[in-house]
Amino acid sequence: NPLASISGSVQLIAASGSIPEADKKLLGIVMRETSRLDNMVTEFLKYARPLPPNKSWFPLNQLLLDQITILKGDERFNLIDIHTHVNEQIEIFADRDQINQVLWNLIINAAEAMPDGGDVFIDLSWGTPLLNQDSEQVKNVNLSIRDTGGGIPSKMAEFIFEPFFTTKSGGSGLGLASVFRILEAHNSSITLDSSQGAGASFQISIPVPEKNAV
C-alpha cells in the first residue's frame, strides 16, 4: 500500500503540465524503481509466507506447453529458441498455480542467462519409480530445463537455492529459493548441473501417487 501511494502520487505529479522535462525524467525513474521494489516485496512475501499446496490432478504437459506459448511473446525470448520433448499425457497431483510459478521462474531464468540469444531445451517424461515413506513404489515425473548460456561457476552453484543469493544485477535472490520451497512442499526435488561456460540444467523430480490413493 505505501508503494502504491508513492507510485500514484508521482504519476499525478508527472502528469502536471508545469513539470520541466528534466524533472519528468527523474519522476519516470522513481516510478520505474517503485515498480521494481514492489515486485521484490511481492517475491519476498511469497517466500516468507508460503501457502500450503492446494493439490488437484492436472496435465503437466499441457500446463508446460501453455506456459511456453505465453512466454514466446515476451521480449526476453526474441533471440531464444525453445525446444521441447513432451510426448506423453502426464498428469500430476499438485498445486497448479505453484507449479506454474516454478516453470515460469526456471524458463525466465534460462532466457535471462542468454541476453545475446541461445537455446532452451525442455524435456518431460516418466522417470524411474520412487520409494515413498512406506517403502512403496510410486510413479515419478522427470522435468529438465536446460539452457546454452554462460553457466554457473561451481563455487556459486552450491548457493543457488539460498534466499537472497543471486548472480543477476538487480535480482532479488528469491526466485530459485521460492522454486526450491514450493517443490519441497510437494515432496519433490530439484538439482542443478552446471559449469561456467557450459550452460545450466535444472532437473526436477515429482512423485505421482495412484489416483485411488488420493
Side-chain angles (χ1 to χ4, degrees), residues 15-36:
S16 171
S18 61
I19 301 295
E21 199 61 35
D23 290 343
K24 283 187 178 181
K25 289 182 179 179
L26 291 174
L27 292 173
I29 294 173
V30 172
M31 286 189 287
R32 185 173 65 249
E33 292 302 297
T34 300
S35 176
R36 191 165 71 91

Side-chain angles (χ1 to χ4, degrees), residues 25-76:
K25 289 182 179 179
L26 291 174
L27 292 173
I29 294 173
V30 172
M31 286 189 287
R32 185 173 65 249
E33 292 302 297
T34 300
S35 176
R36 191 165 71 91
L37 182 57
D38 181 56
N39 290 334
M40 291 175 64
V41 170
T42 300
E43 284 189 34
F44 174 75
L45 290 175
K46 285 180 180 178
Y47 180 80
R49 299 186 304 196
L51 295 173
N54 181 20
K55 296 182 179 182
S56 63
W57 288 99
F58 64 89
L60 179 57
N61 57 313
Q62 190 58 56
L63 177 66
L64 179 60
L65 294 175
D66 289 346
Q67 180 80 267
I68 292 170
T69 299
I70 293 170
L71 287 174
K72 281 183 176 179
D74 189 303
E75 62 180 11
R76 286 170 287 191

Side-chain angles (χ1 to χ4, degrees), residues 96-200:
R96 185 187 181 96
D97 289 338
Q98 291 186 6
I99 296 300
N100 193 59
Q101 182 184 344
V102 167
L103 297 177
W104 179 276
N105 283 347
L106 291 176
I107 299 173
I108 287 289
N109 271 1
E112 290 182 341
M114 301 178 291
D116 298 323
D119 298 279
V120 177
F121 298 90
I122 302 175
D123 294 282
L124 176 65
S125 62
W126 289 110
T128 304
L130 299 172
L131 292 178
N132 63 15
Q133 294 177 342
D134 300 319
S135 297
E136 299 170 334
Q137 282 195 339
V138 295
K139 289 190 293 184
N140 175 49
V141 167
N142 286 341
L143 173 63
S144 168
I145 299 175
R146 178 171 63 88
D147 65 64
T148 57
I152 301 170
S154 56
K155 63 180 180 181
M156 293 184 180
E158 60 182 299
F159 303 109
I160 203 69
F161 298 113
E162 296 278 342
F164 308 112
F165 178 83
T166 180
T167 59
K168 300 178 188 175
S169 175
S172 67
L174 289 171
L176 289 177
S178 295
V179 164
F180 186 88
R181 176 167 281 187
I182 288 172
L183 292 172
E184 187 178 46
H186 284 79
N187 296 317
S188 303
S189 65
I190 180 170
T191 57
L192 168 64
D193 181 15
S194 179
S195 59
Q196 192 165 12

